[in-house]
Amino acid sequence: MSDHNSPLCNSSHLRLIINADDVGYSQIRDEGIAECIDAGSVTSCSLLVNGVSAKSIIIARCSKVSLGLHLNLTEGCPIGSSYDTLTNEEGFFRGKFGFREAIANGKIDSEEISEEIDHQIRTFWKLTGQKPTHIDGHQHIHVIPAVMKILAPQMVSNAIDITRIPHERQLNSCHWLSQTSRSFFESVIDDALVSKDICLKNGIHFSDAFLGLSTMGTNMSIRNLQERICTVLAMWKEKQPKNAGSTTVMPWLCELMVHPGYVTGNIGGCGIGPDEFSQSNERQHEMEILKEMALMNFYQKHSIELTSFKTLF
């Protein structure tokens, strides 16, 4: 993890967590994620507790992997109610950009954020009978510094000490990204770097490396994934001891964020219907790529150990 002296670092291999976001968004997407779990191509999941299929998640499948909370403050209906600033006039969250604009302008009450975080953690417990192995954020909302300052102490009080810091390095080398996507991802990385310090001060862990911004939807291909993972491998090797004859291997953990699943129809979402991304074939494209045997062979060739967050406890 982020601290190499942590007991969480006990492997001599580069370890890769493949985390599927948005479990609970729709039944058909959940079925696709379950197939990836069975195929061994997904090792961890994050649950949207306000998703329409959250109450019918396939717990038996999810028990094979880590299951964390996908904190949602941007899409659909909140778990709590009667918010004055966190939601719009219709009672829905403000959206990915609407939330960011409102919180930047000081228009969202921090107490309402705290209350909704608490509701979502408690709802996770009720749905699954266990605490989240980790907490990350829908549309990276958790790393907005004003949110992380609220989230981090609540994670500590609930004995949840793993999160996601979506700092994907060398993003400039990803020539396939559109300028619009690149600009948003760069803003996410800026937020993540600030939130990284907040997490460290609160004893919250995160992976040494992160991938997934550059390989979402149609940008996911065998070639792109291999290229990005090789970038992490190169960084990992640079961190190894340079002493001649040294047999010490410094462990590294990388999280790969993915969004697999079958195409969502008219039924899905978080209370206001599914978005365009879920109704396109991009989710199914990711699912099919992740299950390719060429990827499994690649992991084996480079001695990459697939693991999950729950093995780190």
Side-chain angles (χ1 to χ4, degrees):
M1 304 298 282
S2 58
D3 179 0
H4 289 300
N5 294 317
S6 166
L8 299 181
C9 289
N10 57 7
S11 172
S12 60
H13 304 283
L14 178 63
R15 308 176 78 188
L16 180 66
I17 291 173
I18 306 174
N19 191 90
D21 288 3
D22 301 340
V23 173
Y25 197 86
S26 72
Q27 187 71 41
I28 191 68
R29 181 184 301 173
D30 292 348
E31 290 176 8
I33 293 173
E35 287 186 18
C36 288
I37 292 172
D38 290 343
S41 54
V42 158
T43 64
S44 179
C45 295
S46 299
L47 172 65
L48 282 164
V49 294
N50 71 334
V52 299
S53 64
K55 293 182 180 179
S56 59
I57 58 173
I58 309 172
I59 298 296
R61 302 284 185 88
C62 290
S63 67
K64 299 180 181 180
V65 299
S66 302
L67 185 60
L69 171 65
H70 202 46
L71 180 67
N72 184 5
L73 301 175
T74 58
E75 182 179 355
C77 304
I79 296 297
S81 59
S82 301
Y83 293 125
D84 295 322
T85 66
L86 192 56
T87 53
N88 60 24
E89 294 178 355
E90 288 76 34
F92 301 124
F93 286 131
R94 294 169 175 262
K96 178 168 69 173
F97 297 111
F99 178 89
R100 284 174 163 82
E101 180 181 358
I103 200 166
N105 292 327
K107 294 183 178 181
I108 295 184
D109 186 342
S110 61
E111 289 298 321
E112 293 188 358
I113 294 176
S114 178
E115 181 181 339
E116 181 62 19
I117 291 172
D118 183 65
H119 276 301
Q120 293 194 22
I121 292 174
R122 290 176 182 273
T123 300
F124 185 98
W125 270 100
K126 291 177 181 177
L127 290 172
T128 68
Q130 62 190 39
K131 73 175 182 179
T133 57
H134 59 283
I135 295 180
D136 50 40
H138 190 48
Q139 299 169 339
H140 309 291
I141 210 71
H142 70 300
V143 290
I144 294 175
V147 174
M148 183 57 77
K149 288 178 181 177
I150 301 167
L151 173 62
Q154 288 182 256
M155 289 181 64
V156 172
S157 66
N158 283 279
I160 304 165
D161 63 357
I162 297 178
T163 191
R164 168 187 293 164
I165 296 296
H167 176 202
E168 183 165 346
R169 296 171 175 86
Q170 300 184 24
L171 204 65
N172 288 337
S173 66
C174 303
H175 56 84
W176 56 84
L177 290 176
S178 69
Q179 187 55 51
T180 299
S181 294
R182 189 186 303 276
S183 296
F184 177 65
F185 294 156
E186 287 173 351
S187 71
V188 168
I189 290 172
D190 288 343
D191 284 341
L193 291 174
V194 177
S195 285
K196 176 180 178 179
D197 290 334
I198 299 171
C199 290
L200 290 172
K201 290 176 182 177
N202 284 273
I204 295 172
H205 304 286
F206 43 86
S207 60
D208 298 285
F210 170 84
L211 296 172
L213 298 178
S214 63
T215 52
M216 288 180 60
T218 54
N219 287 327
M220 181 179 285
S221 66
I222 300 294
R223 180 175 180 177
N224 288 352
L225 281 172
Q226 290 178 341
E227 180 178 321
R228 299 306 291 152
I229 293 172
C230 282
T231 297
V232 171
L233 281 167
M235 290 188 292
W236 173 63
K237 290 177 181 177
E238 280 295 313
K239 296 288 185 179
Q240 301 309 306
K242 299 299 190 294
N243 297 334
S246 174
T247 58
T248 301
V249 177
M250 183 178 290
W252 251 40
L253 180 73
C254 178
E255 179 186 0
L256 170 62
M257 173 190 71
V258 298
H259 300 83
Y262 287 105
V263 177
T264 299
N266 295 327
I267 300 175
C270 301
I272 56 173
D275 60 13
E276 291 183 5
F277 185 26
S278 65
Q279 295 183 84
S280 72
N281 64 356
E282 293 188 47
R283 303 275 183 166
Q284 189 161 333
H285 170 77
E286 286 197 28
M287 179 183 69
E288 292 166 354
I289 291 294
L290 288 169
K291 292 194 294 184
E292 285 282 351
M293 187 54 63
L295 268 183
M296 294 298 183
N297 293 338
F298 174 81
Y299 302 145
Q300 183 175 16
K301 176 182 177 181
H302 292 279
S303 301
I304 297 170
E305 177 188 355
L306 300 187
T307 189
S308 67
F309 285 116
K310 72 177 181 179
T311 66
L312 305 176
F313 283 84

